[in-house]
Amino acid sequence: MLKYIVKRIINLIPVAIIISILVFVLSKSMPGDPVLAMMPKDGRMTKAQQEQMYKNLEKRYGYDKSLPEQYFMWMGRSLKGDFGESTQSKRPVKEYLSEPLKNTILLNIGSTLVSFVLSVLIGIRSAVHKGGFFDKFFQVFTLVGISLPTFFIGLFLIFLFAFRLGWFPANGMPRNNTFGEWVKYLILPTLTLTFGSMASISRYVRNSMLDSLNEDYIRTARAKGLKEKTVIYSHAFRNALIPVVTAMTWAILSMFSGSAITETIFAYRGIGNILIKSVLAQDYNVILALTMFYAILTLLGNLIMDIAYALVDPRVKLEA
């Protein structure tokens, strides 16, 4: 397996380079002038002073170079872990994104765990009791969850639990690092992310379980007198895991990219919220760093998915 992983990582390098070129070109094609966006708007400078400041800023951030030169400068710095300076905060991008990245990871870990546990429990029970009240209820529930946009779910939760009931804060970040304070601010955005993800994954689990429960080896296991729990969890569910692994992997990746909307609604300082602000402020270094983060995350997600297939199903062979 190690040889396979190394080979896949090597094969990902040219893909990552092509993606980096596309991301760089697209970012440079965005409307607006990043140098003008950095200049003060007080109007007290003369035209000559403004032109001189423009040239100084252009030279400082490398915008006076040709596009190929800018690309290679950016790639060279990035490979060394230097993603440039944020024009919004006047701080290194790595330093500027370190706290938002931790916040986003914390939010997504919570929503992923809750989503996975609930999806498996709901999906298995729905399949075992196909056609019953539980199954019909969650078929409707999951359909609603898939259909509703994330921003609507978030706003509804704010209205109900923050404004009407007053149980949780509507938005913002914890003022201190105590566990209880973090939980209060994380519950509503976590529920927002969990709702849509759980709806889609539980349907995958249900359909996979239904296929497994109809297989001959399940009838054989029951004929041998095995307990129903053993048949369901040790035989049927294990063989239903491959499509579930696919759905879960993509759900995790989509949470990171889709959390931008949720973070904006709840004024949660994560990388999704920062990305939206950076686009509006034409902060190219931050945009490039975050876009490449999402791209590499997706590439690694495919690799992790293949490895997970081999772990859950011994019949899947990974060949180097």
Side-chain angles (χ1 to χ4, degrees), residues 155-173:
L155 292 175
F156 175 76
L157 292 177
I158 290 173
F159 172 76
L160 179 62
F161 292 106
F163 294 151
R164 299 290 293 182
L165 299 176
W167 290 356
F168 308 110
N171 51 42
M173 294 292 295

Side-chain angles (χ1 to χ4, degrees), residues 157-310:
L157 292 177
I158 290 173
F159 172 76
L160 179 62
F161 292 106
F163 294 151
R164 299 290 293 182
L165 299 176
W167 290 356
F168 308 110
N171 51 42
M173 294 292 295
R175 294 174 183 172
N176 56 61
N177 287 323
T178 61
F179 178 76
E181 189 77 8
W182 269 98
V183 168
K184 284 195 299 183
Y185 280 88
L186 279 172
I187 284 180
L188 291 186
T190 298
L191 287 176
T192 303
L193 286 175
T194 301
F195 193 76
S197 177
M198 182 192 71
S200 59
I201 296 174
S202 61
R203 292 177 76 89
Y204 272 101
V205 176
R206 176 186 180 274
N207 294 336
S208 299
M209 281 294 296
L210 286 175
D211 291 339
S212 293
L213 290 171
N214 290 325
E215 294 290 339
D216 291 337
Y217 67 86
I218 296 297
R219 285 189 283 271
T220 303
R222 283 172 172 160
K224 287 180 178 179
L226 294 177
K227 293 181 180 180
E228 188 65 14
K229 285 186 178 179
T230 304
V231 173
I232 292 170
Y233 293 101
S234 297
H235 293 74
F237 180 60
R238 183 168 183 178
N239 286 280
L241 272 177
I242 284 190
V244 175
V245 166
T246 305
M248 195 65 203
T249 304
W250 288 115
I252 294 171
L253 297 177
S254 64
M255 278 184 186
F256 272 94
S257 56
S259 62
I261 299 172
T262 303
E263 290 172 2
T264 302
I265 292 171
F266 290 96
Y268 186 84
R269 186 174 167 76
I271 57 174
N273 193 358
I274 294 295
L275 178 59
I276 292 176
K277 291 180 179 178
S278 300
V279 171
L280 296 175
Q282 299 170 355
D283 196 342
Y284 288 134
N285 286 331
V286 175
I287 296 170
L288 286 169
L290 288 179
T291 308
M292 283 304 299
F293 168 76
Y294 288 127
I296 292 172
L297 191 67
T298 304
L299 293 176
L300 292 177
N302 282 278
L303 174 60
I304 293 170
M305 196 187 308
D306 290 341
I307 296 171
Y309 286 163

Side-chain angles (χ1 to χ4, degrees), residues 14-237:
V15 179
I17 292 173
I18 294 171
I19 291 174
S20 70
I21 295 172
L22 293 174
V23 167
F24 185 83
V25 171
L26 288 174
S27 69
K28 293 299 180 180
S29 302
M30 292 172 59
D33 188 334
V35 180
L36 285 177
M38 288 184 279
M39 294 183 65
K41 307 293 191 298
D42 55 14
R44 288 178 291 182
M45 291 189 299
T46 64
K47 188 175 181 180
Q49 289 174 324
Q50 289 177 343
E51 290 177 355
Q52 186 59 45
M53 177 176 279
Y54 185 95
K55 290 179 181 178
N56 293 339
L57 289 172
E58 193 177 40
K59 186 175 182 180
R60 177 183 175 184
Y61 291 100
Y63 293 127
D64 59 333
K65 309 289 185 183
S66 65
L67 281 180
E69 287 179 298
Q70 290 184 46
Y71 171 77
F72 284 112
M73 286 171 58
W74 168 66
M75 276 297 292
R77 291 196 310 265
S78 298
L79 291 173
K80 295 176 183 177
D82 178 10
F83 303 104
E85 184 179 291
S86 166
T87 55
Q88 296 178 84
S89 63
K90 303 296 187 293
R91 294 159 58 196
V93 171
K94 186 193 295 187
E95 180 186 320
Y96 179 55
L97 294 180
S98 60
E99 184 184 350
L101 181 59
K102 292 177 185 175
N103 295 339
T104 294
I105 291 173
L106 182 63
L107 174 61
N108 280 275
I109 285 175
S111 59
T112 300
L113 290 176
V114 174
S115 174
F116 180 73
V117 172
L118 291 179
S119 297
V120 169
L121 295 176
I122 292 169
I124 291 176
R125 186 168 180 183
S126 295
V128 172
H129 301 283
K130 180 185 176 184
F133 172 78
F134 185 90
D135 181 37
K136 290 179 179 177
F137 173 81
F138 276 100
Q139 284 297 292
V140 175
F141 179 84
T142 55
L143 188 62
V144 172
I146 293 171
S147 304
L148 289 177
T150 304
F151 72 86
F152 180 85
I153 298 171
L155 292 175
F156 175 76
L157 292 177
I158 290 173
F159 172 76
L160 179 62
F161 292 106
F163 294 151
R164 299 290 293 182
L165 299 176
W167 290 356
F168 308 110
N171 51 42
M173 294 292 295
R175 294 174 183 172
N176 56 61
N177 287 323
T178 61
F179 178 76
E181 189 77 8
W182 269 98
V183 168
K184 284 195 299 183
Y185 280 88
L186 279 172
I187 284 180
L188 291 186
T190 298
L191 287 176
T192 303
L193 286 175
T194 301
F195 193 76
S197 177
M198 182 192 71
S200 59
I201 296 174
S202 61
R203 292 177 76 89
Y204 272 101
V205 176
R206 176 186 180 274
N207 294 336
S208 299
M209 281 294 296
L210 286 175
D211 291 339
S212 293
L213 290 171
N214 290 325
E215 294 290 339
D216 291 337
Y217 67 86
I218 296 297
R219 285 189 283 271
T220 303
R222 283 172 172 160
K224 287 180 178 179
L226 294 177
K227 293 181 180 180
E228 188 65 14
K229 285 186 178 179
T230 304
V231 173
I232 292 170
Y233 293 101
S234 297
H235 293 74
F237 180 60

